[in-house]
Amino acid sequence: MRNNMKKATYLLLNYFPHLKKHTKAYENLFMTENAIASLNDTEKIFLKLAWFFESEGKYEFNLYWLYQLEGEWLEFALDLIQIHFKEDTYLFQENKPSHSLLIDADDYLTQTDFARFLQEKGFPDYTQNKVAVYRKRGKFPKEDILIAGKPYWSRYTAEIFLRKLELEKKGIKK
């Protein structure tokens, strides 16, 4: 599903799937202007961020644009930037930075925990078995960490997937 897409872009498009058709628009000025014209201010910033991720340094992202975001949007953008530099580039030696603030087992869910999380949030049909089947079929978010063959998802990934399910439940497919 990700193909050659950067992980940060993939996560961004999980929340803004309607931006996928514009991810290569940075390659052409006319396409860039058309893509930007059709979006609200928040979507414009996230599309520019996707262009930055995908262009491998050819498209510049101005950090000043982040000041236009608030609350969860700003946090989401900063998380994506961190993921991009830690996992999508080779700027950290062996892609394993020695500095981390996020190593906490409580921040990760097992497959059973993920199912329970979804059930508690109003999706009772997401049993552990359904999660396993959907994961196998590629209809579930890819795990963030695989330890000894056991998948783990960050709470952040779980929240993104929950938002997607909530939008689908309301009949909104972007």
Side-chain angles (χ1 to χ4, degrees), residues 1-2 4-17 19-24 26 46-56 76 79-81 83-85 87-88 160:
M1 184 174 185
R2 265 179 62 191
N4 292 328
M5 187 181 298
K6 306 286 187 196
K7 181 174 182 179
T9 307
Y10 175 78
L11 293 170
L12 185 153
L13 293 176
N14 276 338
Y15 199 77
F16 295 102
L19 296 182
K20 184 173 183 169
K21 64 185 173 193
H22 301 299
T23 55
K24 296 294 182 187
Y26 68 88
F46 280 99
L47 179 58
K48 290 174 183 180
L49 198 53
W51 290 345
F52 173 75
F53 297 152
E54 291 299 307
S55 71
E56 297 181 0
F76 182 47
D79 286 345
L80 291 172
I81 291 168
I83 289 166
H84 174 70
F85 283 103
E87 299 183 33
D88 292 336
I160 290 173

Side-chain angles (χ1 to χ4, degrees), residues 83-101:
I83 289 166
H84 174 70
F85 283 103
K86 283 187 175 181
E87 299 183 33
D88 292 336
T89 71
Y90 296 99
L91 297 174
F92 287 107
Q93 191 175 47
E94 296 181 21
N95 257 356
K96 295 179 184 174
S98 60
H99 176 75
S100 178
L101 300 174

Side-chain angles (χ1 to χ4, degrees), residues 21-35:
K21 64 185 173 193
H22 301 299
T23 55
K24 296 294 182 187
Y26 68 88
E27 296 173 345
N28 176 293
L29 183 60
F30 178 72
M31 289 172 43
T32 301
E33 291 173 356
N34 283 343

Side-chain angles (χ1 to χ4, degrees), residues 92-127:
F92 287 107
Q93 191 175 47
E94 296 181 21
N95 257 356
K96 295 179 184 174
S98 60
H99 176 75
S100 178
L101 300 174
L102 303 176
I103 306 300
D104 186 350
D106 291 337
D107 289 336
Y108 290 90
L109 304 173
T110 65
Q111 190 166 286
T112 302
D113 294 334
F114 203 150
R116 190 176 303 118
F117 168 79
L118 293 173
Q119 290 171 354
E120 290 170 357
K121 298 295 184 176
F123 294 90
D125 57 326
Y126 273 87
T127 63

